[in-house]
């Protein structure tokens, strides 16, 4: 941990500055794109559909990841963690909860698209709201377990942000890691892959799911580009948010 203002052990001034700068760029880009998606959902009536509610859930989760990265960027540029051990636990919980919510929301979107394109039943509001509620409740539950003693949050090697303590190889952490990974990584991955494969078989065209810490922090930007800006309807909604004249004409119509 780097709390005194000195550089973390094993890292130079340039390395810490580079990490902080990259985190800052990733945080601001992800936050900007996902906030645009959220605003477009709130201000564009055409986007207020059950399927887009799942995209909104993903945008909220990715905004949380970007905020987490922003805190890490600030700490890296300060070359120390200024929020104490309780702040570390809160930062770890918030980052892990939103990361899990992002993964599960992506799986929910994949299933929602399969349901929309490959069955005769449209996704209804009750199902969409239930999915979103389950995603966030499940994510909060799993993220809270390290606070209760199953798993543990601690400082990353740089000492300027907090995440799961992967350095512990004891039975407690191993059992948590494998159980959590099954329900929050492998199961959502299975749902995502199967949903897109069934869509590919049904529609006769290829449809694939989207693609250490710095790479993970790029997920909000990638998701925003893939699910939000890649959707023509969401794209129009964002453009309306950025163009007051277009918004007024839409209301008049």
């Amino acid at each position: 941990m780097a709390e005194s203002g000195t550089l973390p052990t094993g890292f130079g001034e340039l390395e810490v500055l580079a990490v902080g700068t990259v985190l800052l760029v990733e945080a601001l880009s992800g936050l900007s794109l996902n906030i645009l998606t959220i605003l477009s959902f709130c201000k564009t009536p055409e986007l207020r559909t059950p399927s887009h509610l799942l995209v909104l859930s993903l945008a909220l989760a990715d905004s949380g990841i970007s905020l987490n990265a922003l805190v890490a960027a600030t700490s890296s540029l300060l070359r120390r963690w200024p929020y104490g051990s309780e702040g570390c636990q809160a930062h770890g919980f918030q980052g892990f909860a939103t990361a899990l919510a992002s993964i599960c929301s992506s799986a929910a979107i994949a299933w929602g698209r399969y349901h929309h394109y490959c069955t005769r039943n449209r996704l209804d509001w009750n199902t969409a709201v239930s999915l979103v509620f389950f995603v966030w409740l499940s994510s909060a539950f799993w993220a809270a377990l390290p606070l209760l003693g199953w798993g543990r949050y601690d400082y990353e090697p740089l000492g300027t942000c907090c995440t799961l303590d992967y350095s512990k190889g004891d039975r407690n952490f191993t059992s948590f890691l494998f159980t959590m990974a099954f329900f929050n990584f492998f199961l959502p991955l299975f749902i995502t892959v199967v949903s897109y494969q069934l869509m590919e078989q049904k529609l006769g065209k290829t449809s694939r799911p989207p693609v250490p810490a710095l790479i993970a922090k790029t997920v909000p930007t990638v998701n925003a580009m893939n699910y939000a800006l890649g959707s023509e309807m969401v794209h129009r909604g964002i453009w309306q948010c950025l163009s007051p004249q277009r918004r007024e004409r839409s209301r008049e119509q």
Side-chain angles (χ1 to χ4, degrees):
M1 176 183 71
E3 293 214 41
S4 62
T6 59
L7 291 174
T9 304
F11 294 92
E13 180 87 26
L14 187 59
E15 291 173 303
V16 177
L17 180 61
V19 169
T21 302
V22 171
L23 283 173
L24 184 62
V25 172
E26 292 173 349
L28 293 179
S29 60
L31 199 57
S32 300
L33 291 173
N34 283 288
I35 285 177
L36 279 176
T37 303
I38 295 168
L39 289 176
S40 68
F41 181 90
C42 295
K43 294 187 175 183
T44 308
E46 295 86 352
L47 293 180
R48 295 172 198 157
T49 64
S51 59
H52 284 112
L53 180 65
L54 302 180
V55 177
L56 176 65
S57 175
L58 179 63
L60 288 170
D62 287 343
S63 295
I65 296 174
S66 296
L67 286 172
N68 190 272
L70 189 59
V71 173
T74 303
S75 301
S76 296
L77 294 175
L78 290 173
R79 300 189 301 279
R80 65 187 181 88
W81 178 257
Y83 308 109
S85 74
E86 291 185 358
C88 176
Q89 297 302 302
H91 185 252
F93 170 80
Q94 188 269 343
F96 194 42
T98 51
L100 294 180
S102 178
I103 294 169
C104 294
S105 291
S106 297
I109 290 173
W111 180 85
R113 288 181 171 180
Y114 160 76
H115 189 273
H116 177 76
Y117 291 110
C118 300
T119 70
R120 296 182 179 180
N121 299 319
R122 287 181 175 273
L123 187 66
D124 58 62
W125 278 106
N126 286 336
T127 302
V129 170
S130 297
L131 277 173
V132 170
F133 180 77
F134 175 78
V135 162
W136 285 95
L137 185 64
S138 173
S139 300
F141 168 76
W142 285 99
L145 290 177
L147 299 176
L148 301 175
W150 196 20
R152 181 170 176 257
Y153 294 120
D154 203 355
Y155 300 93
E156 290 188 347
L158 195 62
T160 54
C161 59
C162 297
T163 185
L164 285 176
D165 184 7
Y166 295 99
S167 67
K168 300 294 182 182
D170 56 14
R171 183 176 299 179
N172 175 283
F173 179 76
T174 302
S175 62
F176 169 75
L177 181 64
F178 280 99
T179 307
M180 179 275 300
F182 174 79
F183 286 105
N184 295 283
F185 292 98
F186 296 115
L187 189 57
L189 178 63
F190 174 78
I191 293 172
T192 302
V193 171
V194 170
S195 295
Y196 281 106
Q197 284 182 341
L198 291 175
M199 285 176 60
E200 181 180 346
Q201 294 173 7
K202 183 76 173 180
L203 303 177
K205 63 181 180 180
T206 302
S207 182
R208 293 189 176 92
V211 266
L214 291 183
I215 298 176
K217 297 292 191 300
T218 64
V219 169
T221 303
V222 173
N223 282 340
M225 297 292 291
N226 185 49
Y227 289 114
L229 299 184
S231 167
E232 183 179 353
M233 186 174 291
V234 177
H235 191 272
R236 288 202 306 268
I238 292 174
W239 183 246
Q240 287 181 12
C241 288
L242 296 176
S243 175
Q245 293 180 351
R246 273 178 172 257
R247 192 162 61 243
E248 288 300 324
R249 283 200 294 268
S250 298
R251 289 175 181 173
E252 291 174 0
Q253 293 173 356

